[in-house]
Amino acid sequence: MSALWDEWGVRHPVTILQLERVQVVQIKQNQKNVRPPLVAVQIGCTEEKNQFTKPLLGHFKNAGVNPKAKLLEFHVTPDAVLPVGTEIKAAHFVPGQYVDVTAPSIGKGFAGVMKRWNFKGLPASHGTSLAHRSAGSTGQNQDPGKVFKGKKMAGRLGGSSATVLNLKVLKIDNVLNLIYVKGGVPGFDDQFVRIRDAIKKPGEKCFPSDCIPPPFPTIDLEIVNNMPRELMAKTGGIDPFVPKEV
Amino acid sequence: MEVITYENRNKAPDDRFQLFAKRGKDRVKTGDVLLVETYTSMSSIKNPSDNSSSIKSGTTAFAGICISIRRRGVNTNFTLRNIILKVGVEQRFFINSPLIKSIQILSRGEGYRRAKLFYLRDQPGKAFQIGGLVRKERERKAAAASK
């Protein structure tokens, strides 16, 4: 995590995400798990030189793309489909828009009940023997005579998919293809994450008013080449450090 | 990350980055007495002659001993401690904040052998006799301005 200062001098914690050679690898029409008007677009990220299986190498050769380390699918409407091989740049995102970021959370291993479910444990003294961090009772007596399914107990915590919603894009770097997103993102450094436009801000709420319509289906390469290197989100509003005059 | 830190540093035309570098003859070390001038708000930089607002001046000054330097790339910050009207006051400054006007070294520390001087909170000794240094600096500035 890093920090950015906006035009009023307010410091915002940011996470820096990189779009490392993100290219469209395959377009799948009429898939079984995709609702009818939508089309699945497979996107690859980060070129890798490791050994790949022959089927995978053939898959990338078909697309005319260097072997990618990670492949992900997005379901889009037919008018948003990009030709195979198009590169998606950081300028695809508009500074000031909201995004959702999905990534596997950090694994915590076999976690006890206090960490996993915020149980309060048992007293540290007053006679408690050998059970300070345990769950205590797991149910009633002969009626029902069993432990209910889904009872909160110790077990593996973390390593599963987590989504953080409504993160604001504060800045875009066009040379290094970086997106500065306000706040934290699940997972550890150098991990693959999945970014999409905020689902809970439909239509025009997702983007700042002067950037509607956003780049659709993605931004033209000519426009990107003429853009300045860094684009900051506009903060606007009143200076928060000036006391309000009564 | 170094490229990113370099791109996002505060591009003020002074030598803040060199002052807080890890190596260098003139770098700030814990134990040095620093004077930091901060703008009260970004509006005071943009409209310095705005008389309608209630703020008296656009800058605030704080002097103190540097008790910790935290080097974290863009987030590099340092803490100054001073005793003002018998109350210990600590303030943390971020180097790359646009609200910082200038950082000056009033005097170098001698005999401090730690990276973090948190023990000064309990054993101040003679460390906080800073008022004289600030006065001298103000007189020096006034003399230089009047010339």
Side-chain angles (χ1 to χ4, degrees):
Chain A
M1 285 204 63
S2 193
L4 268 188
W5 281 266
D6 68 9
E7 58 187 73
W8 296 124
V10 178
R11 178 173 174 267
H12 298 284
V14 291
T15 309
I16 307 176
L17 306 171
Q18 185 176 29
L19 289 168
E20 205 176 346
R21 282 294 280 172
V22 173
Q23 284 178 297
V24 175
V25 171
Q26 191 184 22
I27 300 171
K28 301 180 187 174
Q29 315 256 6
N30 301 326
Q31 289 291 101
K32 255 194 253 175
N33 61 332
V34 182
R35 269 182 298 135
L38 298 178
V39 171
V41 175
Q42 192 186 78
I43 288 177
C45 166
T46 308
E47 301 191 345
E48 204 171 280
K49 291 183 189 150
N50 280 345
Q51 292 172 334
F52 282 87
T53 57
K54 274 193 189 167
L56 262 182
L57 282 175
H59 180 70
F60 291 122
K61 195 175 168 191
N62 228 356
V65 146
N66 287 334
K68 301 283 184 190
K70 182 82 177 171
L71 291 172
L72 273 182
E73 250 179 56
F74 288 84
H75 300 166
V76 292
T77 48
D79 54 351
V81 170
L82 295 163
V84 169
T86 348
E87 190 170 339
I88 299 181
K89 299 268 186 189
H92 177 90
F93 295 99
V94 169
Q97 79 163 94
Y98 291 93
V99 291
D100 299 338
V101 179
T102 310
S105 55
I106 296 179
K108 310 260 190 271
F110 195 98
V113 113
M114 281 176 81
K115 190 183 194 71
R116 198 177 183 213
W117 298 114
N118 300 325
F119 278 17
K120 300 187 81 178
L122 289 151
S125 69
H126 289 307
T128 314
S129 30
L130 307 174
H132 304 283
R133 296 185 65 91
S134 77
S137 162
T138 51
Q140 297 79 32
N141 202 330
Q142 197 169 15
D143 242 333
K146 64 175 185 176
V147 177
F148 291 126
K149 275 193 191 296
K151 178 85 192 65
K152 293 183 181 176
M153 288 184 169
R156 181 165 287 190
L157 175 64
S160 58
S161 184
T163 307
V164 183
L165 299 174
N166 297 338
L167 296 176
K168 197 168 192 183
V169 173
L170 285 185
K171 183 170 162 180
I172 282 174
D173 184 321
N174 283 317
V175 169
L176 295 169
N177 275 326
L178 300 175
I179 306 173
Y180 293 68
V181 145
K182 180 177 173 180
V185 144
F188 48 87
D189 289 349
D190 296 332
Q191 180 175 255
F192 290 111
V193 303
R194 185 192 172 99
I195 314 175
R196 63 162 191 234
D197 293 339
I199 268 191
K200 289 199 173 177
K201 294 199 184 274
E204 300 198 346
K205 282 193 212 171
C206 185
F207 302 97
S209 48
D210 55 346
C211 294
I212 295 168
F216 184 82
T218 194
I219 197 153
D220 283 330
L221 277 179
E222 297 166 1
I223 305 181
V224 174
N225 291 335
N226 293 333
M227 268 188 190
R229 175 180 183 156
E230 294 174 345
L231 291 169
M232 295 274 306
K234 289 176 200 145
T235 332
I238 338 166
D239 191 344
F241 291 126
V242 170
K244 282 188 209 167
E245 293 181 39
V246 179
Chain B
M1 276 311 291
E2 287 156 7
V3 177
I4 297 174
T5 308
Y6 184 73
E7 287 297 319
N8 284 324
R9 76 197 189 289
N10 191 346
K11 293 172 173 92
D14 60 12
D15 57 349
R16 286 174 215 189
F17 245 46
Q18 273 81 51
L19 279 181
F20 289 94
K22 266 194 207 174
R23 314 225 181 285
K25 220 175 23 155
D26 297 327
R27 72 186 194 282
V28 169
K29 293 183 234 175
T30 46
D32 293 349
V33 177
L34 301 179
L35 174 66
V36 176
E37 281 184 25
T38 42
Y39 294 110
T40 46
S41 65
M42 294 299 277
S43 315
S44 60
I45 313 176
K46 290 176 189 172
N47 323 317
S49 56
D50 189 6
N51 290 322
S52 61
S53 55
S54 52
I55 32 170
K56 287 180 191 169
S57 66
T59 56
T60 322
F62 187 82
I65 289 193
C66 179
I67 58 171
S68 105
I69 301 176
R70 262 188 113 230
R71 292 193 182 84
R72 299 282 189 276
V74 173
N75 288 329
T76 307
N77 55 65
F78 60 98
T79 317
L80 297 183
R81 182 180 171 87
N82 199 352
I83 297 186
I84 299 174
L85 298 175
K86 294 188 188 172
V87 175
V89 178
E90 282 180 22
Q91 193 161 358
R92 174 168 286 194
F93 298 97
F94 284 87
I95 294 174
N96 289 308
S97 167
L99 288 174
I100 291 192
K101 184 178 172 190
S102 70
I103 303 173
Q104 271 174 296
I105 303 182
L106 295 181
S107 88
R108 298 277 179 188
E110 276 177 27
Y112 292 109
R113 303 196 66 183
R114 291 272 161 298
K116 305 278 188 286
L117 306 180
F118 297 137
Y119 68 86
L120 287 179
R121 292 170 183 163
D122 299 320
Q123 313 162 21
K126 287 191 201 165
F128 295 104
Q129 294 164 352
I130 297 177
L133 293 168
V134 179
R135 231 174 291 130
K136 261 192 236 169
E137 179 64 26
R138 286 223 183 96
E139 285 163 16
R140 192 191 65 83
K141 264 193 204 158
S146 64
K147 276 179 195 168

